[in-house]
């Protein structure tokens, strides 16, 4: 029997007052259960922890648009939903976690024998998402009659069905058959076996007909992580480079160079472009104040929804590049640079010799260049006994770890050698020193220039 196809959906104009996403599928009049889901959420769900705890949910326009996308039906007469995997990427404060909880409640009430893992990278983050789901069940006059909330699980009264909390850091087992998988803040799923947990639960969804994997996150900084790869994949799908009718990608954000962020009007315009909840339930003035309180790369990630190249930065963006090629005529700057180089050389030399008594001991979180002359700490407490470090590491090992962490170029220093690598010196293990097996002894190679 031939499959009946619905007419081609028509493009709709983007609604005024809602910032247009940086990447999203076209807005059309395709057949969708979105309006039904919107009515159900507003009739049965309540707000979780926060200023509006226990109040009935009133969805904003951008949330309604996303629900219409998410629950769009296929064009054939099967009645199945088009999307089985989705990624919603928005800045902080736009209620993505709460909306994921309400979608989980809808799925728990409508799917056949629902099994819904509610997951995040850590226990605390998983509790935020699951806590919103538990609250909407506990405080809802209707849902509390058909569901039973527990500390880590919500069960359906009338039959099989449950939603349960998962922390990716704890791992999970193969063999599960989730009907819906809610994964929150997946940009943090990049350490240890957390990506493995996402893979296991996502693979389990393939065992269920009509399953849904919903990922929500703020942008990250490493494109090689789970969130970065999914972000790149979503861009390719929305641009037509990859054909995948079952993947939904919606990304709200604003590039940092669209407006002059140093100007107050430009900053507010950027915030409103990036945050669809701005001036609704997100205080725009509070977000603008954060621009002056946190590093620029953090503001771009968390409040403008833009991916950055690094998770941490010790200089403001553009400062280092602006200094490239500039001549420094200030004698004090030259002296400072020379002092840093001298401290670095002396620290490498002592660490390489294994001189535990004289090796520089730096407090936690302090850069190597912040030490005084001779590698001593500014507070004078430059001598430590072996094992006095808070982390329990001997001074030699601590110095080596410090050198690895700052990632010096190979021509400047080699932490495995006792001196600069470009001095023509090498290190070998002495056979006649059993007391300190880590001690390195240096010798001069033929043709090396004498030290001055």
């Amino acid at each position: 029997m031939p499959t009946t196809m619905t007419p081609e959906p028509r493009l709709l104009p983007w609604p005024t007052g809602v910032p247009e996403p940086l990447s999203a599928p076209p807005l059309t009049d395709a057949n969708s259960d979105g309006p039904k889901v919107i009515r159900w959420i507003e009739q049965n769900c309540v707000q979780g922890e926060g200023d509006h705890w226990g109040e009935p949910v009133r969805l904003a326009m951008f949330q309604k648009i996303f629900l219409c996308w998410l629950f769009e039906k296929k064009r054939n007469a099967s009645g199945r939903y088009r999307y089985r995997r989705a990624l919603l990427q928005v800045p902080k404060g736009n209620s993505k976690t709460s909306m994921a909880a309400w979608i989980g409640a809808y799925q728990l009430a409508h799917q056949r024998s629902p099994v819904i893992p509610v997951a995040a990278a850590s226990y605390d983050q998983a509790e935020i998402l699951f806590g919103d789901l538990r609250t909407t069940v506990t405080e809802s006059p209707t849902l509390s009659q058909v569901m039973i909330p527990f500390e880590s699980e919500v069960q359906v009264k009338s039959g099989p069905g449950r939603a349960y909390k998962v922390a990716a850091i704890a791992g999970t087992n193969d063999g599960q058959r989730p009907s819906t998988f809610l994964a929150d803040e997946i940009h943090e799923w990049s350490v240890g076996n957390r990506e493995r947990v996402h893979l296991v639960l996502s693979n389990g969804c393939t065992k269920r007909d009509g399953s849904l994997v919903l990922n929500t996150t703020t942008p990250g900084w490493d494109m090689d992580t789970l969130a970065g790869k999914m972000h790149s994949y979503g861009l390719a799908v929305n641009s037509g480079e990859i054909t995948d009718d079952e993947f939904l990608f919606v990304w709200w954000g604003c590039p940092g160079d669209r407006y002059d962020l140093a100007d107050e009007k430009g900053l507010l315009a950027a915030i409103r472009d990036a945050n669809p909840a701005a001036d609704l339930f997100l205080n725009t003035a509070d977000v603008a104040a954060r621009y002056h309180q946190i590093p620029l790369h953090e503001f771009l990630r968390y409040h403008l929804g833009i991916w950055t190249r690094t998770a941490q930065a010790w200089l403001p963006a553009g400062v280092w590049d602006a200094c490239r090629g500039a001549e420094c005529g200030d004698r004090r700057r030259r002296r400072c640079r020379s002092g840093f180089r001298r401290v670095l050389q002396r620290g490498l030399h002592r660490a390489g010799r294994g001189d535990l008594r004289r090796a520089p001991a730096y407090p936690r979180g302090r850069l190597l260049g912040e030490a005084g002359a001779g590698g001593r700490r500014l507070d004078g407490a430059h001598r430590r006994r072996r094992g006095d470090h808070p982390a329990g590491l001997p001074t030699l090992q601590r110095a080596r770890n410090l050198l690895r962490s700052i990632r010096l170029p190979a021509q400047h220093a080699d932490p495995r050698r006792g001196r600069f690598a470009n001095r023509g010196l090498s290190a070998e293990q002495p056979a006649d020193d059993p007391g300190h097996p880590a001690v390195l002894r240096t010798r001069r190679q033929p043709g090396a220039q004498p030290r001055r």
Side-chain angles (χ1 to χ4, degrees):
M1 182 176 180
T3 303
T4 304
M5 301 292 292
T6 58
E8 188 73 21
R10 297 176 301 169
L11 289 176
L12 298 177
W14 189 258
T16 58
V18 180
E20 194 167 353
L22 290 178
S23 182
L27 184 62
T28 66
D29 62 350
N31 186 21
S32 172
D33 275 350
K36 182 178 73 173
V37 177
I38 292 169
R39 289 192 299 270
W40 188 92
I41 289 177
E42 293 186 337
Q43 292 172 2
N44 298 280
C45 294
V46 300
Q47 298 282 355
E49 187 179 51
D51 296 336
H52 303 282
W53 181 88
E55 296 180 7
V57 174
R58 293 294 178 262
L59 295 173
M61 178 58 67
F62 78 95
Q63 295 172 318
K64 296 178 180 180
I65 293 174
F66 178 76
L67 290 174
C68 289
W69 271 327
L70 184 63
F71 290 94
E72 179 181 332
K73 292 187 175 182
K74 292 185 176 181
R75 290 183 56 202
N76 55 34
S78 64
R80 297 181 178 178
Y81 295 130
R82 171 185 176 182
Y83 297 110
R84 299 188 62 180
R85 308 181 320 280
L87 172 60
L88 173 61
Q89 188 173 275
V90 291
K92 281 187 173 297
N94 289 272
S95 192
K96 60 183 179 300
T97 300
S98 298
M99 189 160 63
W102 302 329
I103 293 172
Y106 177 85
Q107 297 289 80
L108 190 61
H110 290 82
Q111 284 186 321
R112 182 178 180 85
S113 182
V115 178
I116 305 177
V118 180
S122 63
Y123 292 100
D124 292 338
Q125 186 63 39
E127 173 58 28
I128 294 175
L129 175 55
F130 188 81
D132 282 351
L133 174 59
R134 184 176 56 236
T135 299
T136 200
V137 171
T138 304
E139 302 301 323
S140 171
T142 54
L143 297 184
S144 59
Q145 302 299 317
V146 296
M147 299 177 187
I148 307 175
F150 296 98
E151 179 65 25
S152 301
E153 186 173 285
V154 174
Q155 297 179 355
V156 178
K157 284 185 178 180
S158 60
R162 65 189 181 104
Y164 59 97
K165 181 170 57 176
V166 176
I169 192 174
T172 188
N173 298 324
D174 267 317
Q176 302 185 56
R177 294 183 289 272
S179 58
T180 296
F181 171 33
L182 305 178
D184 194 26
E185 299 295 1
I186 61 170
H187 73 278
E188 298 179 352
W189 295 45
S190 57
V191 180
N193 65 339
R194 298 175 186 178
E195 290 193 16
R196 174 70 182 174
V197 172
H198 191 280
L199 175 65
V200 169
L201 293 174
S202 299
N203 285 343
C205 288
T206 61
K207 305 175 184 178
R208 300 291 299 269
D209 189 25
S211 61
L212 173 65
V213 178
L214 175 59
N215 303 279
T216 56
T217 189
T218 52
W221 61 274
D222 187 356
M223 298 302 294
D224 291 330
T225 58
L226 169 68
K229 294 175 182 177
M230 200 176 297
H231 171 88
S232 301
Y233 185 82
L235 291 176
V237 170
N238 288 345
S239 65
E241 298 177 20
I242 298 177
T243 301
D244 188 348
D245 292 335
E246 295 186 344
F247 185 80
L248 171 64
F249 176 57
V250 181
W251 173 29
W252 268 283
C254 177
D257 56 355
R258 179 180 293 180
Y259 300 97
D260 181 11
L261 300 183
D263 179 69
E264 183 179 358
K265 293 183 179 180
L267 178 61
L268 294 176
I271 293 173
R272 291 189 174 97
D273 281 3
N275 297 269
D279 300 323
L280 297 176
F281 50 83
L282 180 66
N283 192 316
T284 307
D286 288 347
V287 177
R290 297 293 291 166
Y291 174 75
H292 305 284
Q293 300 169 1
I294 62 177
L296 177 59
H297 68 282
E298 299 284 11
F299 184 83
L300 292 175
R301 281 182 55 207
Y302 290 120
H303 299 295
L304 293 190
I306 299 300
W307 282 75
T308 58
R309 295 183 179 180
T310 180
Q312 297 179 349
W314 66 284
L315 281 177
V319 171
W320 183 262
D321 292 336
C323 296
R324 182 175 300 173
E327 294 294 336
C328 181
D330 191 342
R331 179 177 300 178
R332 289 176 299 177
R333 294 184 181 179
R334 294 199 302 270
R335 186 184 302 117
C336 177
R337 182 175 58 182
S338 177
F340 179 88
R341 191 173 299 168
R342 187 180 302 110
V343 170
L344 176 61
Q345 178 180 1
R346 188 170 300 182
L348 290 171
H349 176 50
R350 290 174 179 171
R353 293 189 310 173
D355 191 339
L356 300 178
R357 293 182 297 104
R358 299 183 60 194
Y362 303 104
R364 182 177 297 179
R366 174 165 289 181
L367 294 176
L368 187 62
E370 292 180 353
R376 299 187 177 187
R377 285 176 49 183
L378 297 180
D379 56 6
H382 62 282
R383 297 185 182 274
R384 289 180 181 267
R385 295 187 303 273
R386 184 185 182 99
D388 284 349
H389 191 264
L393 295 176
T395 306
L396 175 59
Q397 185 62 41
R398 188 165 71 253
R400 289 175 174 171
N401 291 345
L402 179 61
L403 295 177
R404 294 191 187 100
S405 66
I406 61 178
R407 296 183 180 179
L408 293 175
Q411 68 271 18
H412 289 290
D414 187 344
R416 297 169 298 177
R417 301 183 179 183
R419 307 185 189 277
F420 284 143
N422 61 355
R423 290 291 185 89
L425 302 178
S426 63
E428 61 181 4
Q429 177 71 26
D432 57 347
D433 191 359
H436 295 283
V439 174
L440 302 178
R441 180 175 299 169
T442 60
R443 62 181 176 83
R444 194 176 308 281
Q445 291 182 350
Q449 297 295 329
R451 292 188 59 192
R452 296 180 181 178

